[in-house]
Amino acid sequence: MAPLPDGFSYAEWNATYNALSFGIAAMGSATIFFWLQLPNVTKNYRTALTITGIVTLIATYHYIRIFNSWSEAFTVASKDGGDYSVKLTGAPFNDGYRYVDWLLTVPLLLIELILVMKLPQQETVSLSWKLGLASALMVALGYPGEIQEDLSVRWFWWCLSMIPFCYVVFTLAVGLAEATSKQPSPAAASLASAARYLTVLSWCTYPLCVHGEECRPGRPRGHHV
């Protein structure tokens, strides 16, 4: 757990508090929506939609844990009717919940993408295992660097985590190109291609968050959760 820097303003604390609250509401309501839509979806896609609901449910749980940890790490009070002041309570803020969440949700999201591409069963199973394990390994290798203060050690773990990262990105961008072209219709091929590239684009933020100084709550110049 990274130590929190002192000196948060009430506006900073409140913005984070409300953002976490918004995330809980959004993810929780999304879970309900996805699962209620299962009867309206073609049978072939119900497993993928169920996984989507599981992903948002896991995210909801971890947002709640982060929210509680954030609240317990601070005391907010107004003295004599003045402005609110924010002080550390000494309780640790657990920033490891992010990695626990990613360790579960990232492989599931990749498996979901493979499922909706309607590949042959053997290829679906093979790709799901390969991409799922590679993405889990990427997250697992990123966490040791997250908790290090030595910049050289952080770079070492970052480089290790980038090995499975590059494998997954290459598979999504290049390895699945042929499978995309074999979709039953041009519209389906277009949607599958868009899903692949959108996933790749979203993944490009991961290397920055794993090593970026501003992504750590304990950094003196950053207050990001």
Side-chain angles (χ1 to χ4, degrees):
M1 297 184 188
L4 284 168
D6 206 352
F8 278 88
S9 68
Y10 176 68
E12 290 173 325
W13 177 88
N14 196 45
T16 303
Y17 184 96
N18 290 329
L20 291 171
S21 180
F22 177 83
I24 293 169
M27 294 296 178
S29 58
T31 301
I32 296 172
F33 173 78
F34 291 139
W35 286 347
L36 286 178
Q37 291 300 309
L38 282 173
N40 302 324
V41 176
T42 304
K43 187 177 181 180
N44 293 337
Y45 296 105
R46 288 179 185 172
T47 300
L49 188 59
T50 300
I51 291 175
T52 301
I54 292 173
V55 168
T56 53
L57 179 63
I58 292 171
T60 301
Y61 169 75
H62 285 114
Y63 266 72
I64 292 173
R65 297 303 300 267
I66 293 171
F67 180 86
N68 292 337
S69 183
W70 179 260
S71 299
E72 293 168 0
F74 297 93
T75 178
V76 181
S78 174
K79 186 177 181 181
D80 300 327
D83 294 336
Y84 284 101
S85 62
V86 180
K87 296 182 180 180
L88 297 175
T89 62
F93 173 69
N94 190 345
D95 60 340
Y97 287 130
R98 292 183 304 149
Y99 280 82
V100 176
D101 182 88
W102 292 342
L103 192 61
L104 295 170
T105 59
V106 172
L108 286 174
L109 286 170
L110 290 174
I111 292 171
E112 176 193 351
L113 178 62
I114 298 301
L115 288 175
V116 299
M117 296 189 71
K118 300 180 69 174
L119 301 171
Q121 182 177 359
Q122 184 175 358
E123 189 175 357
T124 297
V125 173
S126 176
L127 279 172
S128 295
W129 275 106
K130 289 177 181 178
L131 293 181
L133 290 175
S135 60
L137 180 62
M138 176 194 73
V139 175
L141 290 173
Y143 184 68
E146 168 76 10
I147 59 178
Q148 299 296 325
E149 296 297 330
D150 189 324
L151 192 58
S152 62
V153 178
R154 286 170 62 82
W155 272 114
F156 171 77
W157 287 106
W158 183 87
C159 291
L160 286 182
S161 69
M162 287 303 98
I163 297 174
F165 169 85
C166 290
Y167 167 75
V168 172
V169 170
F170 177 83
T171 302
L172 291 175
V174 179
L176 290 176
E178 183 179 355
T180 301
S181 65
K182 293 180 180 178
Q183 293 299 307
S185 69
S190 177
L191 288 173
S193 180
R196 283 168 47 227
Y197 288 116
L198 183 60
T199 303
V200 170
L201 181 63
S202 66
W203 268 56
C204 290
T205 63
Y206 179 78
L208 302 177
C209 285
V210 171
H211 191 269
E213 297 293 296
E214 294 297 318
C215 287
R216 293 193 58 191
R219 289 294 170 186
R221 294 177 57 192
H223 298 331
H224 294 262
V225 179

